[in-house]
Amino acid sequence: MKEFQTVQRRALEKQRASAVAARTAVEEAEHPTEGGVSLEQQQLLEEQPRLANQHEVDFQEALIIERETEIRSIEQSVGELNELFRDVAHIVHEQGGQLDLISENVDRVHNDTQGANVELRSASRYQKNARNKACCLLVILAVILAIIILAAVLG
């Protein structure tokens, strides 16, 4: 794009130089150094294509200016787009950090859940053993109570 702008500027400079040369020729034609009607008529005939060329140069210059304006507009749009991409990259980077935190939290929860599962299984075993001991104790108390009641009734 920079190369294109450089080439455009060179073309614009050349067109301006040719415009200046045409204007100089027109001024020389208006103020001839050598008098003579035939010389003036000859210069007028030569100037007509130059004036037509001047209109073409002006048109080309206007086109170049318009293109340069469009290029600047495109350049500005590209700059804005670049800024948007940077913003999106920044947001993605921030969200990536948040995703890492979430992933770490999920890993911790997983490990904690496995530890809780182990603890619940051991607590379940302890409760089962305690129920078994309580049942045995009740059976032993029932037997002792039955023996005491039998001894009191028999004795």
Side-chain angles (χ1 to χ4, degrees):
M1 196 153 111
K2 289 181 182 178
E3 290 178 19
F4 180 70
Q5 287 178 344
T6 304
V7 170
Q8 265 190 330
R9 287 187 186 116
R10 286 183 193 160
L12 185 61
E13 289 172 5
K14 287 181 181 180
Q15 287 178 353
R16 286 181 182 161
S18 66
V20 168
R23 287 182 190 132
T24 306
V26 169
E27 288 175 4
E28 287 177 2
E30 289 175 0
H31 306 290
T33 53
E34 298 178 10
V37 176
S38 63
L39 182 61
E40 259 182 50
Q41 289 175 354
Q42 186 180 5
Q43 285 178 350
L44 285 174
L45 290 175
E46 288 176 5
E47 287 176 21
Q48 286 177 352
R50 287 183 187 167
L51 291 177
N53 286 339
Q54 179 62 34
H55 292 295
E56 185 178 327
V57 168
D58 291 341
F59 177 73
Q60 291 295 330
E61 187 175 319
L63 283 177
I64 289 172
I65 290 170
E66 182 180 339
R67 287 179 188 159
E68 191 171 313
T69 304
E70 290 173 358
I71 288 172
R72 286 191 179 130
S73 174
I74 291 170
E75 184 178 6
Q76 182 180 4
S77 297
V78 168
E80 291 172 358
L81 184 63
N82 185 22
E83 189 174 324
L84 286 174
F85 274 114
R86 285 182 185 170
D87 291 344
V88 168
H90 180 69
I91 290 170
V92 167
H93 180 70
E94 285 179 356
Q95 289 179 350
Q98 291 174 351
L99 286 176
D100 289 342
L101 289 174
I102 291 170
S103 176
E104 289 174 13
N105 289 338
V106 167
D107 288 340
R108 283 188 207 141
V109 167
H110 177 71
N111 292 336
D112 291 345
T113 304
Q114 284 181 340
N117 189 20
V118 169
E119 293 295 323
L120 286 173
R121 287 177 193 247
S122 66
S124 176
R125 275 193 305 260
Y126 289 139
Q127 281 185 345
K128 195 176 197 181
N129 289 338
R131 271 189 245 126
N132 287 339
K133 288 179 185 177
C135 285
C136 288
L137 187 60
L138 280 176
V139 170
I140 292 173
L141 283 176
V143 170
I144 292 175
L145 189 61
I147 293 175
I148 292 176
I149 290 178
L150 279 178
V153 174
L154 293 173

